[in-house]
């Protein structure tokens, strides 16, 4: 409730904007603001920066001689070498697949008058909602010999042939599909920013649609394409679920799986070595992120020139052809794998075809009755809720201090908080193991081997995901409102509570739902950090598959996907209901 | 019941610190498949409802690494260890990590499956042989040598010793044995054999027809066959390797009393009969053979001196990784 004074302050400010500038200059914060900044900084430093510093300390602490020794040993190991080569190869090739798929779909949906665009967009973004290990499992089921696909007339599984998804091609294609939505999103955003006048001029000059697309639009979209490709690349080299389920059996090892295998096969004695590999992986990711940042800056320029929104090309009588192609592709990538997963979850046993007589719900009954899977549901829910809540609570003041108050430290903190999310998850896990393997000094409490190491890692990992919507929420905030409150004497807490919070909270809450979804499905970080009693859903699915119980793994996956889709639907409804600007949720561009 | 389950879940979740010392809680680290483990705990709780069993389950190697890290951190969690092979147990015993339990009811058991000082005792016999897909293989393999045959080119999958304790013992034994050696594994690699992760990954690949044949622990294959999967198991003519799934109490156990009760039950006739019901070959002489097994099984065990296995372990894993990538 704004007081009378505040209202008057606001009015006077509106009437005489310039006169009060000196009172509101940045940096004139009071002690409360300083305290707030301190708290936020402590959170970011503790959860985002410290683990990464510890990792680099490990790499450099060995001393130059010993470090070189480890590096030389690694280079001598042809599997380590191969893992580096494979990581770059699969990263680049799958990026190519993502660009073709994502950009193709974005152009088809964004440029033409296809029908049911909302549904098509949703299907195109499905891979974002489905975590990599579930997608990999679903594709294995779809292409595998027990798939319902081979019961269709005219289709036969080539008997005795290995699942073609095992190995390089499978890893590349599946990661390409998984990360295509990132390219889709950047290219769609790029398309939105293109001025219609340009197209009209080209059309007036007689350019046909194809010429227009390839001669004019694509060159203009280059920054968006590059930014999307860089994101896809960084995601690909950090992916664990796909190379773990498809690459390990296919003897195609990437850095993430190599690190995982080394650590599981040889234990903490190889920590120094895997820390070096993790740092190398972080370096590759940093290059990708730098490209993305550079491309993003170039993209911004064209965005500001934006005139009228692009009018869709009429496809005319041939529209159904493109529609058929797009629908087939999206059903193949977004729907069929899930059906295969469903099919496997109701199969009697491994390798038994599902028919009306053999279909069974016993795997669902089993996983619900099983204390481990039940606990994993509880754990993942608790972890996701904890991460979502904490990240939202930190992201609002951080966004406020960085964007409205323009505090230099806060702006720096937003950059720091990006790192654990942008870098491959396995880098963060290794960093957390190094940091928390031994009991905390002074407190003598050991986080390693408990639920809390996961919680700590998740807090660092997902802050960036909550921060982005919070920043976009705070950016909508009219700075005059806040200045007015300040003039009226409202101090830090008060302004934050009465002015910033009501406006920034809804987008931040939507960000919280994103964090919840991502954390609920998390595997990469958990895979190295879980312990007895702290199993997460990602770990349980992975382990069940490993034990040869893929029917049960499919059942847990189906339940997880249902929860994820429900949260996505709730977030969408929430964003509509609060009339938030578009772009808060990634699938709502 | 529901309430206690949830409470237990929350308790286990929110760190073991507050309630770990409470009487009647038992932490088990094991490599047994999860569903069988959960069943076993249920049956155990029928006679011992006062003991609440929690567990960490993964491949033996991962279990051991977890434990090593906990030793390093100075806070080992488990009371009881129930893992694939006695080699890791011997290693732990030599490091003084185990609490001997010579009073365990082992009178009826073969002394070969237990530690002379009572530090650990085998609870069942698990042999490693060959699984094949009955729809894809018309002429089943009968020997280890068959797996290097051209007709199974690119068709063989095996568990990795970097992950599975049974596989570690199997590869260690085969490579140290004069009739096989690393030559045999090089021949497998040349024939396009691949390494999965645990035995489960082998069953998965063979039952769903992605690989025609695999190297696997027998009970998994027989259990899957009983459930209707198109697989069968062959005991190779040269013999099988065997592990005993030993149980041991950690010297740092917080609840050694419950640990002894648990081990007593594992070795009891009821516990052994239940093992057989789950498809495991019981270690207790005279206990029934699982119904999933063929009527007549004559086991010839391929074995080498345990000291050799322990000495070669690290090198074996590295060589295997170099041949099969994991």
């Amino acid at each position: 409730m704004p007081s009378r004074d505040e209202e008057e302050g606001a009015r006077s400010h509106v009437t005489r904007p310039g006169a009060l500038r000196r009172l509101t200059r940045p940096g004139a914060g009071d002690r409360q603001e300083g305290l707030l900044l301190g708290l936020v900084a402590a959170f970011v430093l503790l959860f985002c920066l410290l683990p990464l510093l510890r990792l680099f300390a490990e790499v450099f602490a060995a001393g130059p001689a010993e470090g070189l020794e480890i590096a030389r040993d690694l280079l001598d190991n042809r599997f380590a070498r191969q893992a580096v080569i494979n990581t770059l190869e699969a990263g680049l090739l799958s990026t190519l697949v993502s660009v073709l798929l994502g950009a193709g779909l974005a152009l088809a949906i964004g440029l033409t008058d296809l029908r049911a665009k909302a549904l098509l967009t949703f299907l195109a973004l499905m891979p974002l909602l489905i975590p990599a290990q579930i997608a990999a499992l679903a594709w294995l089921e779809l292409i595998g010999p027990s798939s319902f696909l081979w019961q269709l007339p005219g289709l036969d599984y080539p008997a005795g042939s290995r699942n073609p998804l095992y190995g390089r091609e499978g890893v590349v294609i599946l990661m390409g599909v998984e990360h295509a939505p990132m390219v889709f999103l950047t290219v769609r955003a790029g398309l939105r920013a293109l001025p219609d006048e340009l197209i009209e001029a080209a059309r007036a000059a007689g350019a046909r649609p194809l010429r227009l697309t390839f001669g004019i639009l694509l060159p203009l979209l280059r920054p968006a394409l590059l930014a999307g490709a860089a994101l896809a690349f960084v995601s690909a080299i950090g992916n664990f679920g796909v190379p773990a389920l498809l690459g390990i059996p296919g003897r195609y090892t990437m850095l993430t799986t190599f690190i995982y295998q080394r650590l599981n096969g040889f234990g903490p004695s190889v920590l120094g070595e895997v820390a070096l590999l993790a740092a190398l992986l972080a370096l590759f990711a940093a290059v990708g992120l730098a490209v993305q940042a550079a491309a993003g800056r170039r993209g911004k320029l064209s965005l500001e020139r934006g005139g009228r929104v692009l009018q869709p090309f009429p496809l005319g009588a041939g529209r159904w052809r493109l529609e058929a192609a797009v629908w087939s592709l999206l059903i193949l990538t977004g729907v069929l794998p899930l059906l295969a997963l469903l099919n496997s979850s109701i199969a009697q046993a491994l390798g038994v075809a599902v028919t009306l007589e053999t279909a069974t719900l016993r795997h669902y009954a089993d996983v619900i009755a099983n204390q481990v899977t039940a606990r994993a549901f509880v754990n993942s829910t608790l972890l996701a809720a904890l991460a979502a809540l904490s990240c939202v609570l930190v992201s609002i003041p951080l966004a406020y201090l960085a964007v409205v108050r323009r505090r230099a430290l806060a702006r720096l903190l937003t950059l720091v908080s990006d790192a654990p999310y942008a870098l491959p998850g396995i880098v963060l896990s290794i960093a957390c193991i190094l940091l928390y393997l031994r009991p905390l000094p002074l407190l003598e409490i050991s986080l390693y081997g408990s639920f809390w190491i996961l919680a700590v890692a998740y807090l660092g990992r997902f802050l960036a995901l909550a921060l982005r919507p919070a920043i976009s929420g705070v950016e909508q905030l009219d700075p005059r409102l806040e200045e007015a409150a300040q003039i009226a004497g409202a101090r830090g807490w008060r302004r934050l509570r009465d002015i910033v919070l009501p406006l920034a909270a809804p987008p931040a809450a939507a960000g919280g739902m994103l964090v919840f979804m991502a954390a609920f499905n998390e595997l990469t970080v958990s895979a190295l950090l879980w312990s007895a009693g702290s199993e997460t859903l990602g770990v349980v699915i992975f382990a069940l598959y490993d034990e040869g119980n893929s029917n049960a793994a499919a059942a847990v996956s189906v339940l997880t996907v249902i929860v994820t889709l429900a949260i996505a639907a709730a977030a969408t409804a929430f964003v509509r209901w609060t009339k938030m600007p578009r772009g808060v949720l990634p699938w709502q561009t | 019941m529901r309430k206690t389950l949830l409470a237990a879940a929350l308790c286990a979740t929110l760190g073991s610190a507050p309630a770990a010392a409470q009487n009647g809680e038992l932490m088990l680290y094991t490599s047994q498949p999860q569903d069988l483990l959960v069943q076993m705990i249920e049956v155990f709780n029928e006679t011992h409802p006062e003991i609440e069993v929690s567990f960490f389950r993964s491949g033996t190697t991962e279990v051991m690494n977890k434990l090593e890290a906990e030793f390093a951190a100075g806070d080992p969690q488990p009371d009881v260890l129930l893992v694939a092979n006695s080699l890791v147990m011997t290693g732990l015993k030599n490091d003084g990590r185990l609490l001997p339990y010579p009073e365990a009811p082992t009178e009826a058991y073969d002394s070969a499956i237990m530690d002379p000082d009572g530090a650990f005792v085998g609870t069942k016999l698990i042999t490693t042989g060959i699984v094949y897909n009955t729809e894809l293989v018309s002429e089943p393999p009968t020997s280890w040598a068959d797996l290097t045959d051209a007709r199974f080119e690119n068709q063989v999958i095996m568990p990795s010793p970097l992950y599975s304790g049974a596989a570690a013992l199997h590869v260690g034994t085969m490579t140290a044995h004069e009739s096989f050696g690393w030559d045999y594994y090089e021949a497998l690699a040349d024939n396009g054999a691949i390494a999965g992760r645990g035995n489960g990954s082998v069953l998965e690949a063979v039952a769903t027809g992605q690989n025609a044949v695999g190297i696997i622990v027998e009970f998994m294959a027989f259990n899957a066959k009983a459930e209707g999967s198109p697989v069968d198991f062959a005991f190779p003519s040269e013999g099988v390797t065997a592990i005993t799934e030993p149980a041991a109490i950690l010297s740092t156990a917080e609840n050694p009393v419950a640990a002894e009760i648990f081990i007593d039950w594992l070795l009891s006739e009821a516990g052994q009969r239940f093992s057989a019901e789950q498809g495991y070959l019981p270690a207790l002489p005279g206990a029934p053979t699982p119904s999933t097994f063929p009527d007549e099984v004559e086991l010839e065990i391929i074995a080498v001196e345990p000291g050799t296995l322990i000495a070669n372990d690290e090198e074996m894993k590295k060589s295997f990784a170099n041949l099969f990538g994991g």
Side-chain angles (χ1 to χ4, degrees):
Chain A
M1 274 297 246
S3 70
R4 225 180 99 80
D5 283 355
E6 280 166 10
E7 277 173 26
E8 266 173 16
R11 252 199 310 277
S12 69
H13 180 77
V14 170
T15 47
R16 293 185 299 134
L20 298 163
R21 175 107 350 122
R22 70 194 157 77
L23 286 175
T24 62
R25 71 181 188 278
D30 47 37
R31 234 182 318 163
Q32 287 180 346
E33 192 176 299
L35 183 61
L36 194 62
L37 186 59
L39 286 175
V40 171
F43 185 97
V44 175
L45 296 181
L46 194 58
F47 297 118
C48 301
L49 190 60
L50 195 58
L52 299 179
L53 287 180
R54 179 68 185 81
L55 175 68
F56 290 109
E58 180 75 19
V59 173
F60 292 109
E66 207 177 318
L68 273 179
E69 179 102 0
I70 296 176
R72 201 175 310 117
D73 281 354
L74 275 177
L75 284 177
D76 278 346
N77 180 330
R78 74 184 162 101
F79 281 95
R81 242 178 10 234
Q82 196 59 47
V84 173
I85 294 169
N86 290 353
T87 299
L88 292 175
E89 175 187 65
L92 291 170
L93 289 178
S94 75
T95 300
L96 192 65
V97 175
S98 299
V99 167
L100 290 176
L101 271 178
L105 284 170
L107 291 177
I109 295 175
L111 270 188
T112 69
D113 61 344
L114 287 186
R115 284 165 292 189
K117 282 187 184 175
L119 190 56
L120 287 175
T121 305
F122 174 76
L123 285 180
L125 295 176
M126 267 300 255
L128 268 190
L129 303 179
I130 301 187
Q133 75 275 16
I134 293 183
L137 195 55
W139 275 86
L140 280 173
E141 306 291 353
L142 180 68
I143 306 293
S146 347
S147 168
F148 64 93
L149 216 56
W150 315 117
Q151 293 162 43
L152 300 179
L155 289 178
D156 268 317
Y157 188 76
S161 62
R162 204 146 62 89
N163 195 322
L165 286 179
Y166 284 148
R168 181 176 66 179
E169 287 73 21
V171 171
V172 165
I173 292 173
L174 200 47
M175 289 202 309
V177 170
E178 268 286 292
H179 306 131
M182 293 169 185
V183 183
F184 179 87
L185 288 171
T186 56
V187 172
R188 274 207 71 178
L191 272 175
R192 286 236 164 79
L194 289 182
D196 199 36
E197 290 84 352
L198 195 79
I199 315 294
E200 263 176 29
R203 269 192 198 149
R208 312 263 299 259
L210 279 185
R211 168 89 203 271
L212 226 165
T213 306
F214 289 97
I216 296 177
L217 287 180
L218 281 181
L220 282 174
L221 287 173
R222 212 179 295 145
L225 277 169
L226 199 58
L231 277 179
F233 175 77
V234 172
S235 308
I237 61 172
N239 196 317
F240 175 69
V242 172
L245 287 177
L246 303 183
I248 293 178
R251 281 206 257 173
Y252 188 75
T253 311
M254 288 178 50
L255 274 175
T256 48
T257 44
F258 186 79
I259 290 172
Y260 174 82
Q261 284 180 316
R262 294 292 289 181
L263 214 49
N264 272 342
F266 299 98
S269 62
V270 293
L271 258 176
E273 176 190 319
V274 296
L276 197 68
L277 289 172
L280 186 64
L281 195 56
L283 183 73
F284 293 156
V287 172
L289 292 167
V291 169
Q292 188 234 342
R297 268 197 298 282
R298 279 177 57 203
K300 273 248 164 60
L301 291 179
S302 70
L303 196 119
E304 279 155 14
R305 285 202 308 266
R308 269 191 302 141
V309 183
L310 220 55
Q311 292 304 306
F313 296 164
L315 288 170
R319 178 163 70 176
W320 67 271
R321 262 186 236 144
L322 187 63
E323 280 182 335
V326 169
W327 276 104
S328 323
L329 181 68
L330 289 180
I331 286 174
L332 176 68
T333 58
V335 181
L336 282 185
L338 289 184
L339 285 181
L341 201 59
L342 196 63
N343 182 71
S344 168
S345 74
I346 56 171
Q348 189 66 246
L350 283 174
V352 180
V354 174
T355 63
L356 277 180
E357 290 90 64
T358 62
T360 171
L361 288 177
R362 89 182 155 93
H363 303 297
Y364 287 93
D366 283 354
V367 298
I368 290 168
N370 184 326
Q371 57 153 318
V372 180
T373 29
R375 194 164 56 214
F377 266 100
V378 175
N379 283 340
S380 282
T381 309
L382 282 176
L383 280 170
L386 183 69
L389 198 66
S390 320
C391 291
V392 167
L393 282 181
V394 173
S395 68
I396 295 176
L398 180 53
Y400 163 74
L401 292 169
V403 174
V404 179
R405 309 295 306 161
R406 307 191 67 77
R407 303 284 293 239
L409 176 61
R411 296 167 78 78
L412 193 65
L413 290 176
T414 63
L415 291 180
V416 170
S417 68
D418 258 348
Y421 183 67
L423 292 177
I426 208 143
V427 175
L428 181 64
S429 334
I430 300 286
C432 282
I433 294 177
L434 288 167
L435 193 57
Y436 298 118
L437 181 60
R438 289 177 194 286
L440 296 176
L442 302 178
L443 294 173
E444 293 299 316
I445 300 169
S446 184
L447 287 190
Y448 185 80
S450 79
F451 172 84
W452 297 107
I453 193 170
L454 283 170
V456 164
Y458 280 23
L459 291 187
R461 175 94 170 143
F462 295 118
L463 178 60
L465 207 50
L467 191 58
R468 276 169 214 170
I471 285 180
S472 78
V474 171
E475 274 171 349
Q476 315 285 330
L477 183 77
D478 185 344
R480 283 173 303 187
L481 265 182
E482 214 262 336
E483 283 167 12
Q486 191 182 21
I487 292 153
R491 312 218 306 170
W493 296 128
R494 181 92 187 255
R495 287 202 307 274
L496 194 64
R497 194 189 68 203
D498 289 342
I499 313 267
V500 181
L501 206 58
L503 287 159
M513 291 190 204
L514 287 181
V515 171
F516 190 97
M517 280 168 58
F520 190 67
N521 287 320
E522 212 288 325
L523 169 67
T524 320
V525 174
S526 325
L528 286 179
L529 298 182
W530 75 284
S531 55
S534 72
E535 301 87 354
T536 65
L537 283 173
V539 168
V540 160
I541 291 168
F542 191 49
L544 282 174
Y545 182 76
D546 242 24
E547 289 172 24
N549 203 349
S550 65
N551 302 121
V556 181
S557 303
V558 169
L559 295 175
T560 309
V561 169
I562 291 173
V563 172
T564 309
L565 290 181
I567 294 167
T572 311
F574 176 71
V575 165
R576 286 225 180 104
W577 175 62
T578 51
K579 301 206 173 57
M580 256 179 258
R582 290 172 154 254
V584 171
L585 298 172
W587 58 88
Q588 257 215 332
T589 54
Chain B
M1 174 64 202
R2 231 236 184 86
K3 232 182 204 160
T4 54
L5 188 75
L6 188 65
L10 281 170
C11 220
T13 300
L14 300 175
S16 41
Q22 210 175 68
N23 199 27
E25 286 191 14
L26 186 70
M27 176 60 87
L28 173 66
Y29 273 30
T30 180
S31 60
Q32 290 208 38
Q34 209 193 85
D35 47 345
L36 296 183
L37 188 62
V38 171
Q39 286 171 10
M40 180 179 87
I41 291 169
E42 268 169 28
V43 174
F44 169 71
N45 277 340
E46 283 169 14
T47 42
H48 295 281
E50 77 283 4
I51 297 176
E52 199 176 301
V53 186
S54 321
F55 59 84
F56 174 86
R57 192 233 84 95
S58 189
T60 297
T61 321
E62 190 173 350
V63 171
M64 291 311 297
N65 284 321
K66 180 98 192 155
L67 196 55
E68 285 296 330
E70 289 175 3
F71 288 145
D75 188 22
Q77 301 289 318
D79 298 295
V80 172
L81 207 56
L82 181 63
V83 292
N85 65 48
S86 50
L87 301 181
V88 294
M89 291 295 195
T90 308
L92 287 173
K93 181 195 169 193
N94 293 342
D95 291 344
R97 296 290 185 185
L98 301 183
L99 183 71
Y101 178 37
E103 302 83 11
T106 52
E107 303 79 29
Y109 286 79
D110 185 346
S111 62
I113 65 162
M114 61 187 88
D115 174 60
D117 303 321
F120 55 85
V121 53
T123 60
K124 51 190 72 106
L125 282 179
I126 301 175
T127 68
T128 293
I130 302 172
V131 63
Y132 58 94
N133 186 306
T134 49
E135 286 167 5
L136 300 178
V137 177
S138 48
E139 194 191 326
T142 57
S143 70
W144 293 116
D146 281 353
L147 299 187
T148 59
D149 195 275
R151 72 188 165 110
F152 294 125
E153 193 179 351
N154 295 328
Q155 285 301 332
V156 180
I157 182 168
M158 64 192 138
S160 165
L162 296 189
Y163 185 82
S164 153
L169 183 123
H170 180 75
V171 179
T173 306
M174 297 287 275
T175 51
H177 199 274
E178 71 272 10
S179 350
F180 300 98
W182 279 107
D183 290 350
Y184 178 69
Y185 277 85
E186 273 160 28
L188 278 178
D190 289 343
N191 205 29
I194 59 166
R197 285 166 47 85
N199 283 276
S201 68
V202 172
L203 176 66
E204 165 87 24
V206 174
T208 60
Q210 294 168 29
N211 288 81
V213 282
I215 298 173
I216 200 172
V217 288
E218 93 289 278
F219 75 94
M220 273 194 188
F222 285 134
N223 282 356
K225 181 189 175 188
E227 279 187 4
S229 288
V231 293
D232 210 340
F233 182 83
F235 291 97
S237 54
E238 303 98 327
V240 291
T241 63
I243 53 169
T244 56
E245 191 94 8
I249 306 172
L250 256 76
S251 55
T252 42
E254 286 183 24
N255 199 343
V257 179
E260 289 180 3
I261 294 173
F262 185 73
I263 288 179
D264 289 353
W265 181 81
L266 284 177
L267 297 174
S268 72
E269 213 185 306
Q272 290 289 304
R273 213 177 313 116
F274 178 71
S275 268
E277 279 170 31
Q278 289 200 310
Y280 289 113
L281 205 55
L284 181 66
T289 312
S291 60
T292 49
F293 273 56
D295 292 339
E296 281 195 22
V297 182
E298 209 167 299
L299 289 181
E300 188 175 330
I301 309 279
I302 308 173
V304 295
E305 208 267 309
T308 318
L309 292 180
I310 294 174
N312 290 349
D313 191 55
E314 184 92 6
E315 207 49 47
M316 177 275 290
K317 285 179 184 165
K318 284 202 172 129
S319 306
F320 187 91
N322 281 335
L323 262 181
F324 295 97

